[in-house]
């Protein structure tokens, strides 16, 4: 994928999870052929599987099954699950399929892989925002890590359930079940008109973004420049130290933790040796329980879990910059 495509996917994921958390999910109910949708998704991902040397099986039906639900949401759930399976499977196979339960008038779909698997103790939290299994955290450079949270949000909105069975080093099977017909559109909370929050303290402030992924940097840069901030960028820990030394006007640092050359925690400690009062806030994909406490204990001032939402970013920066005005 191009950098532009990856950046667009990051932004779309953030928009989706924001709507899910706000309870604002609009369903577009339509009648469509499930078999055609499944085949389209299979054909889209088949070339990627072949390039990785992975067998991609489709467990399909010989019958047409007509669904009356939100086709786009169903497609995105399956797309996210197959994409994850491809990402975390290096050999073996992936299988996508479904079965119809005529008694309940429901459909159970699944995506199975022979990938890295998920530890048993982390299965319950795998669908929570920022609580993906450790194995699933190493590859955040390809996205936001919100795919499974979005799957759960959309499945809930369609009146269904989602779950996973997995074993480390053997693979995972993700299942979700939804009604074949959504007879009533689930009530959704209409968003109240809101004004874009302006952070007056950011105007003409000098903010250093320490981030090795250009897409993530561009996203943060766009948000901060919209408020009048001046942006500096370093793509590894060592460069950021030199930049702080060369630019005493820097007011605030957003520090990624997983950096090349020198990790973010070590970098922050060294910067604090020179400028102890300079606010440094960690920004990291590793949003598991206890991470914030460990980050603060390492000497950083605060913590933001990726993907960073607009209001969360402005709120934490405002807290530290306003106290220095």
């Amino acid at each position: 994928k191009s950098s532009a495509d990856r950046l667009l996917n990051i932004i779309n994921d953030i928009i989706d999870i924001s709507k899910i958390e706000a309870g604002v999910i609009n369903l577009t109910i339509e009648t469509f052929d499930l078999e055609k949708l499944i085949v389209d998704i299979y054909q889209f991902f088949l070339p990627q599987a072949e390039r990785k040397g992975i067998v991609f099986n489709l467990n399909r039906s010989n019958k047409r099954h007509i669904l009356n639900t939100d086709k786009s949401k169903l497609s995105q759930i399956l797309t996210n699950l197959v994409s994850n399976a491809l990402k975390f499977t290096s050999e073996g196979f992936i299988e996508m399929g479904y079965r119809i339960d005529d008694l309940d008038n429901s459909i159970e779909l699944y995506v199975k892989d022979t990938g890295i698997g998920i530890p048993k103790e982390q299965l319950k939290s795998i669908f929570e925002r920022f609580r993906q299994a450790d194995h699933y955290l190493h590859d955040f450079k390809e996205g936001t890590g919100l795919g499974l949270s979005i799957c759960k949000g959309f499945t809930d909105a369609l009146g269904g359930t989602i779950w996973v069975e997995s074993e480390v080093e053997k693979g995972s099977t993700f299942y979700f079940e939804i009604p074949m017909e959504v007879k009533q559109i689930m009530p959704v909370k209409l968003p109240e008109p809101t004004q874009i929050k302006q952070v007056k303290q950011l105007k003409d402030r000098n903010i250093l973004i320490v981030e090795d992924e250009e897409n993530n940097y561009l996203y943060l840069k766009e948000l901060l420049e919209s408020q009048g901030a001046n942006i500096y960028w370093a793509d590894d820990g060592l460069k950021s130290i030199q930049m702080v030394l060369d630019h005493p006007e820097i007011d605030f640092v957003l520090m990624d933790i997983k950096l090349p050359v020198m990790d973010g925690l070590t970098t922050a400690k060294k910067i604090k040796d020179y400028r102890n009062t300079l606010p440094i806030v960690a920004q990291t994909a590793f949003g598991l329980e206890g991470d914030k406490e460990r980050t603060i204990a390492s000497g950083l001032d605060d913590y933001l879990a990726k993907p960073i939402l607009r209001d969360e970013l402005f709120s934490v920066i405002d807290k530290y910059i306003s106290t220095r005005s």
Side-chain angles (χ1 to χ4, degrees):
K1 291 182 180 180
S2 68
S3 294
D5 288 338
R6 287 197 296 268
L7 181 58
L8 181 60
N9 287 338
I10 289 171
I11 293 171
N12 286 338
D13 278 358
I14 291 172
I15 291 171
D16 284 338
I17 202 67
S18 298
K19 288 181 178 179
I20 289 168
E21 292 184 343
V24 185
I25 304 178
N26 296 314
L27 298 182
T28 303
I29 306 303
E30 59 182 301
T31 301
F32 60 93
D33 183 355
L34 172 65
E35 186 72 8
K36 184 178 186 307
L37 174 66
I38 294 285
V39 170
D40 286 346
I41 294 173
Y42 172 77
Q43 291 177 339
F44 176 81
F45 283 107
L46 183 59
Q48 296 181 43
E50 290 176 340
R51 283 195 295 270
K52 291 191 70 174
I54 298 169
V55 176
F56 189 10
N57 296 322
L58 178 60
N59 185 3
R60 58 186 299 184
S61 169
N62 293 323
K63 300 179 181 179
R64 291 185 66 200
H65 294 287
I66 304 301
L67 269 61
N68 187 42
T69 186
D70 191 313
K71 181 180 179 181
S72 175
K73 299 290 189 298
L74 175 58
S75 177
Q76 190 166 345
I77 295 168
L78 280 170
T79 296
N80 283 350
L81 293 179
V82 175
S83 179
N84 262 9
L86 279 168
K87 186 184 299 183
F88 298 109
T89 302
S90 57
E91 59 182 4
F93 71 89
I94 295 169
E95 181 175 300
M96 176 174 61
Y98 66 92
R99 70 176 185 86
I100 302 295
D101 188 334
D102 292 322
L103 292 178
D104 290 340
N105 196 31
S106 65
I107 177 170
E108 180 185 283
L109 302 100
Y110 70 89
V111 175
K112 182 178 183 179
D113 66 60
T114 55
I116 59 178
I118 306 164
K120 184 177 180 180
E121 64 273 14
Q122 296 184 15
L123 289 176
K124 290 184 179 179
S125 61
I126 193 70
F127 296 103
E128 296 176 17
R129 179 184 171 198
F130 309 131
R131 290 295 302 275
Q132 282 80 0
D134 292 340
H135 290 66
Y136 275 66
L137 288 169
H138 78 283
D139 204 8
F140 264 82
K141 292 184 178 181
E142 288 299 316
T144 61
L146 289 175
L148 293 179
S149 300
I150 292 170
C151 286
K152 185 180 188 309
F154 286 172
T155 302
D156 290 345
L158 295 176
T161 56
I162 187 168
W163 68 99
V164 59
E165 296 174 358
S166 186
E167 190 172 345
V168 174
E169 303 301 334
K170 290 190 176 181
S172 306
T173 305
F174 285 85
Y175 301 90
F176 67 100
E177 184 176 18
I178 60 171
M180 291 186 66
E181 181 177 6
V182 178
K183 296 180 180 179
Q184 292 182 339
I185 297 178
M186 295 181 63
V188 295
K189 183 170 69 178
L190 296 177
E192 297 179 1
T194 57
Q195 294 183 342
I196 296 176
K197 181 180 179 181
Q198 299 294 322
V199 186
K200 295 180 180 179
Q201 286 85 356
L202 282 180
K203 184 171 175 56
D204 296 325
R205 291 291 191 169
N206 301 293
I207 297 177
L208 170 61
I209 299 172
V210 188
E211 169 64 67
D212 61 320
E213 273 298 301
E214 186 176 5
N215 294 325
N216 296 338
Y217 158 69
L218 290 173
Y219 170 69
L220 294 171
K221 177 175 180 284
E222 178 70 21
L223 291 180
L224 294 169
E225 284 188 340
S226 72
Q227 304 299 306
N230 303 314
I231 303 302
Y232 298 80
W233 179 33
D235 58 7
D236 69 51
L238 204 56
K239 289 179 184 176
S240 71
I241 294 173
Q242 190 61 50
M243 191 161 288
V244 170
L245 292 174
D246 293 342
H247 296 277
E249 69 273 17
I250 289 175
D251 299 300
F252 186 91
V253 179
L254 275 171
M255 178 71 66
D256 189 22
I257 297 302
K258 190 178 180 183
L259 290 168
V261 183
M262 182 183 294
D263 69 85
L265 295 180
T266 303
T267 300
K269 287 179 181 178
K270 291 186 178 296
I271 290 176
K272 287 286 190 178
D273 287 341
Y274 296 107
R275 292 185 57 185
N276 187 50
T277 60
L278 178 63
I280 304 178
V281 171
Q283 45 133 350
T284 178
F286 296 83
L288 299 176
E289 188 174 352
D291 278 3
K292 182 171 184 177
E293 291 73 15
R294 285 190 290 272
T295 299
I296 303 301
S298 298
L300 284 88
D301 296 281
D302 217 319
Y303 171 99
L304 285 167
K306 291 182 180 178
I308 297 172
L309 303 183
R310 185 182 187 278
D311 286 347
E312 291 176 358
L313 173 66
F314 289 167
S315 178
V316 74
I317 294 179
D318 191 37
K319 179 169 67 173
Y320 291 99
I321 284 188
S322 61
T323 60
R324 293 162 55 86
S325 299

